[in-house]
Amino acid sequence: MELEAIPGVGAKTAAALRELDDPAATVESGDVAAIARAPGVNEARAARIARGAIRRRHDDEGRVLATDRARELYREAIDLLRERTVTDYAAKRLETFYPSSSASRIEEAQAFAAEATAREPDPAVREALADCAPLSDPPTVRVRDRCLATADAETLARAEAEVPELSVETVEDARDVSELGRSYASVIVLDESFAGLDVEGDVSVRPDALETPAETVPERLLAFFAENRERLEAAAAVHEAAAAAGDPVSGGAPADESDCDADPPVEIDRLRDALSRLDDDGTIAGDAELDRLTAAVDDLDAAVSTAASVADDRLREAIRERDVTIEGTDFLSLVEQGARVDSLLDRELADEYDEAIDAARDHLADALRLEPEEAELAERVFGGDPSFPVDHDESAVSRLRTELSAARDRRAAKLKADLASDLGDLREPVEELVRDALELDVELAISRFARDFDCAMPEVVDPDSSDPGFRIEGGRSPLLDVDFAEVEPVDYAVSGATLLSGVNSGGKTSTLDLVALVVVLAQMGLPVPAESATVERFEEIHYYAKSQGTLDAGAFEATLRDFGDLVDGADGRLVLVDELESITEPGASAKIIAGILEALDDQDATAVFVSHLAREIRDAADFEVAVDGIEAAGLVDGELRVNRSPKKGHLARSTPELIVEKLADDRGGEFYGDLLEKF
């Protein structure tokens, strides 16, 4: 895939996407979380890229939402869905659903939505989703006790690019490798020409080291799992909660009854066991031997100091308990020989001194929990010429530290390699584990939307079908500022250019909103708030909201230009217009609207014009304009009673007519009767 060919992807964004492991496949998948792992690409941007890739895949060049009000309705529809998500990911992922004119895209989205609405939202799953988030890449871990070595410049450049965690050194011969072996705990030579190399230190020749990063630098894999521990545990909890609810996560689609035992992509217990062996900083956890060696290295200096104090205390006690007598001639002899206290100790307290040294050695071995071979090295720390306070051999301490550090590093390296080996084949499955959990939130949002608003999956038909336009049965708008349960259902169907008449506050505008919402959702491939619906697959949706007052000459001219462009455009459009007559004088408005309807009728467009001038427009048009009406049943206690479903072929009575009729009935008289006859 040519990334720049995706709508909205320029050279800079394409360069960032190429940093992904498989940019073409990732973008093509529509996985918002995976796309967002490209440098500088946030989830909102990733959603737009995914949407662009979908458009390209379905050759969907159209822009269905042709007016500001149509785009507002789409945003309101998306907001209703986003309100039902738990994760930020799902809220962004829903942005990949858009009104499409492509039959294949609508069918694809409908298939996803149909499976989603089959899911039963469960509170436990929703609670588990609260901690779920996309995986993230950890910062690069620098490993300083290991290096790569090569004599080839090209291999050097590749190694530096692919394994930034390790230093890459240049070598020419065995001597160079040997020197590296003394500087690093471990050296990996990348050149096969060094095979059979025999030098001191932990040096291995591995020409395939760059192809096996889990073995070469296991810290990378461990850092990834450590960084994402909470996300992985949260995703695992989502899978377990869904399985307990009888609706397991199964690769982005809900399972039917025969699939209730669907397994997650990774064995949860195995994942948790591996994570328990990993510390938050990417180091090994839970290994007693590694903990012992690490503590021994860290505590060595303090233990040596304490052991020396133990010996000193033993000697003080011995001196207090004994009288040390020196004959005069012996004293003179010692003085002449320059004797110090250590000579006195050697002569008078030799046994006690040996016991004190033994106590120091025992304390050091016990404090550091040394193994027998390590304890032999520790014995060299104390000994030599007697002294008080007891002294220690710093070179022996250094040797012991070197041996313990080497043992610690060997143990850590082995454990890292073992754990990386265990985690290596979990890398892709855990990505699927998290992706499925996040996609479940998308599915459940659609399911909750469908259940909250009593939705049904609409039938979307081709423009040349025998049933063009739209048909809505039992539609209820969730956009009204009332409780959804109180919304009265509406039945309405239109094919061709139609006028919608009715009383003020009778629901004409809300009916247009309902039609627009149903069509937008249908062409998004999502369920619609109706008992049933059939919608033509429109190329464009033009929705013009009611203007606020009469326009000046310039604005009026601009509005007419918009409608001129509209009627000169392509076929396959839905046009919804709310009280266009408010843009100018009523007489002129009726003629203008009649002319627009004539042009739309010639194009076989589906159009609904809400107007109080239906009679005048019908008279001015040169074709038989269909007129529907939202009929008022009358006034009851000053409140309007309305049949919300438009009546086909019916010019609805206006509010003034209803009021005059009520007065004629209530008060009688020639005046009110004459007024009523004028209607």
Side-chain angles (χ1 to χ4, degrees), residues 14 26 63 79 86 113 148 199 249 296 299 379 490 507 522 529 553 582 619 655:
T26 301
R63 294 292 184 268
D79 287 344
V86 178
L148 302 176
V199 296
V249 185
D299 299 342
E379 289 182 0
V490 171
S582 62
D619 293 341
T655 302

Side-chain angles (χ1 to χ4, degrees), residues 520-544:
V520 165
L521 285 168
Q523 295 196 215
M524 290 169 69
L526 298 178
V528 302
E531 294 176 5
S532 68
T534 301
V535 173
E536 176 184 333
R537 179 166 46 83
F538 295 106
E539 291 291 329
E540 296 176 354
I541 300 173
H542 295 259
Y543 187 179
Y544 296 91

Side-chain angles (χ1 to χ4, degrees), residues 231-263:
R231 296 173 176 87
L232 295 173
E233 290 176 344
V238 169
H239 281 259
E240 290 176 329
D247 191 18
V249 185
S250 52
D256 57 26
E257 292 184 2
S258 64
D259 195 27
C260 283
D261 295 326
D263 293 327

